[in-house]
Amino acid sequence: MVDPILHGLLALVQATVPAPPAAIAKPLTLQEQFDAANAAYSARNCVEALKLYDALERRTATSKNPLLTGAIAVRSGICRVRTGDSAAGAAAIRRGLPALAAKPDEFVADLGAAHRALGDVAYDAFDYDTAATAYKAALDLAKGVDRVIPLLALARTLSFDHDGRALAYAEEARRLTEAEPDIDKATVAAVQTRYARVLLNEGRHADAYSVLKDSLKKQGGLDNRVNLSEVATRADLAQAALLNGDRERARTYLSYTGAARMEKAPFAGARQMELPPCGAATGLKPTDVAVIEFSLGDDGIVRNVSPIYTTGNRTVALALARSVGDWSWQPSDAVTIPAFWRQTARVELRCSTAAERPSISQPLDEAFDAWLTSKGSPAFAWEEQPAARALPLARAEVQRARAAGDRIAELRALGWMFNSQLVNAEEARPLVAEALTLAQATNAPVAVATRFRISDAYVAAKEYRQVLDGFRTVLRRPEVAADPLSAATVRMMLANGGSQVRAAERTQLIDAVLAAPLPDTHPLKVAALLNRADLAAQSGDTAAAQAAFTRTGLSSDQCALIAPTPAIARSGAPGGYPQEALQMGFEGWAKVEFDIAADGHTLTPRTVAAYPPFVFGDAAQKIVTDTRFRSSYRPDNNTACTGNAQRFMFQLPR
């Protein structure tokens, strides 16, 4: 990815020529076709250039001229990298690079661009050592102001190493830019912003603040017109002001990025948003924080992930950046966010201390997977990809399996789609109906159909009360009630329905699960016993609570991991909108992790993800602190439920 703050500089240092004619009256000669492709390439019209280069590659497949075929391969490869086809682009560049390297004086511009493109591919893959090597190769070929782009690329890549190299490269880029009389103020400001970002990561917050204020001045100051370069400067200024303790100025600068004040729709959080765990295995500490920048496509896929700032080192920056690269938005959510703000969004991140707990539906999911395996249907390779990248592959598999009459494969793909949380209700409704028809046609176990009926309850509902009504409808089906696993799953999902399920119904549901012909150690029975212990404790029957807990066979620590989250007794949400954010019209979200004590109080709330950075985290933590959950029975009053996570949306009325 080309850093957005360098657009102006690229325009200056790269020569451009007129685009090829819109229409050609006669077939082009080889030289004319080559010249037309090069013109489109130089004008950065890669869509047109690739058409011409692809035609040239076919035309020169048997050519004995290595310089011609090398130039075609390198330039087409650079264009592929620029248009997002990194793997094919890098392969083409490497294929053509040796021939051009034999004539370095003649192809110096191509060689420099090729090494920068290879550096970009490695950088986007979080392979910073390879990226630095490629950028250094580009730097060694460059002279004068042409050195600025590889210098800044190196500064960006090495910003978190704290060995002096990033600062030296950034300082040289700044000197070269300031000494060049033909470079406009806006471009000088963009280079200064990159330099200041290195200063921030070196802990020189006051120096960075001073440089960034000068960048802002060169860009014309604070106004309501903004481009990507100005957004970067203002966002970095907000960060520097915050680190210098000036929260008021930080909010002002952030408000002038426009990112948190969108007219059409708020920047909704991802549907899948995992964070790396804290601990020795990852090298991450709970106190580590990073600001990560990324772009979000209409397809819900995250691209161009780049760490901007961290209190840690490269390990911290890359671990948190990689996690963002795996996030997935529902495409229908992504397209509602204005495209401009999706180009360079920033989030504040920390590692997670939450332990993964089994869900109520996990035994049902395992039964579904076991049945698929018994039918000779292994997991699809694309299931290992981030969900947003896998979604089009899942859709394609549904189409393929449907056309081929491969019902089992279609059921597996449909099951994955519903679990992904990326399919909106409009698309999901007919697919759920199709899945249920397939389950019947394949004589699938009741548990398989139940899994899809649970999905149907979510799809058909507009609010949670309707979801619970849907569960009750599923439970009334004779085949579900007669199947121990299906019935116990739906009953426990209802029993965990919070305040919308009355105590009498909850008790009845739990009793039915405990009476089900499932092993005593089955996770659903263990969950039911924990619920029974809680109900007994809430009614004052400590002996019954102790007896129910003892039957689980769990230690107190195990209980905290497997126990369902207690229902909310009192929400801390009213009045939670930060006054400063309200006054400035900010919107955003924050994800908070916390524990729940046996008496229902919350413990150790910490913000692990927030958009925009450092605006809503404190408010979200205050909401969690003020929230009270129903009390739970735990031996010695130990923690009832550890590692909870909740996301809070802060949205102004529209």
Side-chain angles (χ1 to χ4, degrees):
M1 177 187 88
V2 176
D3 192 316
I5 71 171
L6 302 182
H7 282 175
L9 187 62
L10 279 168
L12 174 76
V13 303
Q14 290 188 327
T16 59
V17 297
I24 303 297
K26 59 181 181 179
L28 294 174
T29 65
L30 182 62
Q31 184 63 51
E32 288 171 336
Q33 192 173 7
F34 186 60
D35 291 343
N38 291 339
Y41 167 80
S42 297
R44 300 184 69 82
N45 181 2
C46 276
V47 173
E48 180 63 25
L50 282 172
K51 293 178 183 176
L52 294 165
Y53 282 133
D54 286 348
L56 278 167
E57 285 193 331
R58 292 190 296 270
R59 193 169 177 178
T60 59
T62 59
S63 173
K64 302 297 185 182
N65 185 340
L67 292 179
L68 174 62
T69 56
I72 293 170
V74 165
R75 292 170 190 173
S76 67
I78 291 169
C79 264
R80 292 190 196 285
V81 171
R82 290 175 181 170
T83 55
D85 191 359
S86 296
I93 291 170
R94 293 189 181 100
R95 188 169 65 249
L97 205 54
L100 302 194
K103 299 280 187 178
D105 294 337
E106 186 175 346
F107 290 98
V108 64
D110 289 292
L111 292 169
H115 287 300
R116 290 198 305 271
L118 290 175
D120 291 343
V121 171
Y123 182 90
D124 286 344
F126 308 115
D127 184 356
Y128 280 18
D129 287 333
T130 299
T133 299
Y135 292 141
K136 184 62 168 59
L139 180 64
D140 291 342
L141 291 164
K143 296 180 180 179
V145 74
D146 288 351
R147 291 174 59 83
V148 171
I149 293 175
L151 283 168
L152 292 182
L154 281 162
R156 177 184 66 169
T157 306
L158 304 172
S159 284
F160 314 108
D161 291 358
H162 308 301
D163 59 7
R165 290 182 296 166
L167 191 59
Y169 287 133
E171 286 173 339
E172 182 184 349
R174 187 187 187 194
R175 289 194 302 269
L176 286 169
T177 307
E178 291 176 340
E180 177 58 52
D182 294 332
I183 296 182
D184 59 78
K185 288 184 178 180
T187 303
V188 174
V191 175
Q192 287 186 178
T193 294
R194 168 61 66 199
Y195 166 62
R197 198 173 291 170
V198 177
L199 292 175
L200 282 177
N201 282 286
E202 289 296 323
R204 293 171 54 180
H205 305 151
D207 291 341
Y209 196 19
S210 177
V211 172
L212 287 164
K213 285 194 290 186
D214 185 63
S215 294
L216 179 67
K217 182 179 179 181
K218 285 181 168 65
Q219 291 170 338
L222 294 176
D223 54 40
N224 292 327
R225 293 177 299 177
V226 67
N227 57 35
L228 290 176
S229 181
E230 291 168 341
V231 166
T233 297
R234 296 173 190 186
D236 285 354
L237 258 171
Q239 180 76 42
L242 188 70
L243 292 170
N244 281 303
D246 191 347
R247 294 185 66 87
E248 182 176 351
R249 293 301 295 171
R251 289 191 295 269
T252 299
Y253 291 131
L254 184 62
S255 70
Y256 275 91
T257 67
R261 304 176 68 182
M262 301 177 193
E263 295 180 2
K264 294 182 180 180
F267 203 116
R271 295 298 179 100
Q272 294 196 8
M273 190 170 70
E274 299 301 318
L275 294 169
C278 305
T282 60
L284 299 177
K285 303 185 296 295
T287 53
D288 289 329
V289 61
V291 175
I292 308 297
E293 187 173 81
F294 63 96
S295 63
L296 177 63
D298 290 352
D299 50 12
I301 295 174
V302 170
R303 299 176 176 87
N304 306 327
V305 182
S306 181
I308 299 298
Y309 167 79
T310 182
T311 57
N313 53 21
R314 187 198 287 193
T315 297
V316 173
L318 289 185
L320 291 167
R322 284 191 184 97
S323 71
V324 175
D326 289 341
W327 289 5
S328 294
W329 266 257
Q330 189 174 93
S332 57
D333 287 342
V335 296
T336 64
I337 304 166
F340 181 83
W341 305 118
R342 285 190 276 116
Q343 293 184 66
T344 53
R346 292 188 182 187
V347 287
E348 162 197 356
L349 294 183
R350 292 171 180 81
C351 60
S352 172
T353 57
E356 186 176 350
R357 294 203 301 270
S359 67
I360 292 297
S361 63
Q362 182 172 314
L364 203 65
D365 291 339
E366 291 172 350
F368 178 46
D369 190 65
W371 177 74
L372 291 169
T373 301
S374 73
K375 293 294 184 179
S377 175
F380 299 114
W382 44 259
E383 293 182 45
E384 298 299 320
Q385 298 187 40
R389 294 184 183 274
L391 182 59
L393 301 176
R395 289 189 176 118
E397 176 58 26
V398 168
Q399 294 291 336
R400 183 209 66 78
R402 186 183 292 155
D406 189 346
R407 295 169 173 174
I408 304 300
E410 186 179 355
L411 273 173
R412 180 181 280 281
L414 288 171
W416 180 92
M417 289 175 67
F418 299 138
N419 265 11
S420 75
Q421 305 177 58
L422 301 187
V423 182
N424 62 27
E426 183 179 357
E427 181 183 3
R429 286 190 191 104
L431 293 178
V432 169
E434 185 173 354
L436 289 169
T437 300
L438 288 169
Q440 183 177 13
T442 55
N443 294 315
V446 173
V448 173
T450 301
R451 186 180 185 277
F452 287 108
R453 294 191 192 283
I454 290 171
S455 296
D456 188 43
Y458 283 108
V459 167
K462 293 184 178 179
E463 57 185 17
Y464 188 56
R465 176 184 57 80
Q466 294 174 329
V467 173
L468 296 176
D469 287 341
F471 290 164
R472 294 183 181 101
T473 300
V474 174
L475 192 56
R476 284 194 292 269
R477 297 184 68 89
E479 73 276 16
V480 172
D483 180 61
L485 177 59
S486 295
T489 300
V490 178
R491 283 178 174 133
M492 286 310 303
M493 295 181 85
L494 272 169
N496 291 331
S499 60
Q500 299 196 46
V501 178
R502 295 184 177 182
E505 182 185 8
R506 185 180 175 199
T507 299
Q508 184 181 29
L509 292 163
I510 291 169
D511 287 344
V513 173
L514 292 175
L518 294 171
D520 289 343
T521 57
H522 194 281
L524 293 173
K525 278 200 171 181
V526 171
L529 285 167
L530 290 170
N531 273 271
R532 168 67 63 77
D534 293 347
L535 287 173
Q538 290 163 14
S539 67
D541 191 345
T542 305
Q546 174 67 58
F549 184 86
T550 301
R551 286 178 59 192
T552 67
L554 298 173
S555 68
S556 184
D557 290 341
Q558 288 175 307
C559 167
L561 293 177
I562 199 171
T565 303
I568 292 177
R570 188 189 77 217
S571 174
Y577 213 109
Q579 190 62 31
E580 301 90 343
L582 187 64
Q583 291 172 349
M584 297 222 170
F586 286 174
E587 294 185 321
W589 49 265
K591 182 178 181 181
V592 179
E593 290 183 352
F594 57 97
D595 298 335
I596 303 172
D599 65 1
H601 282 73
T602 55
L603 306 170
T604 62
R606 56 188 291 269
T607 299
V608 293
Y611 170 86
F614 309 107
V615 174
F616 293 107
D618 290 345
Q621 288 177 195
K622 178 68 163 54
I623 293 172
V624 169
T625 300
D626 293 343
T627 298
R628 293 293 178 269
F629 291 83
R630 287 179 180 170
S631 61
S632 305
Y633 176 79
R634 298 297 178 266
D636 304 319
N637 287 320
N638 286 342
T639 304
C641 197
T642 60
N644 300 278
Q646 188 169 349
R647 190 172 354 175
F648 298 90
M649 287 290 298
F650 295 87
Q651 187 173 349
L652 297 170
R654 279 182 163 74

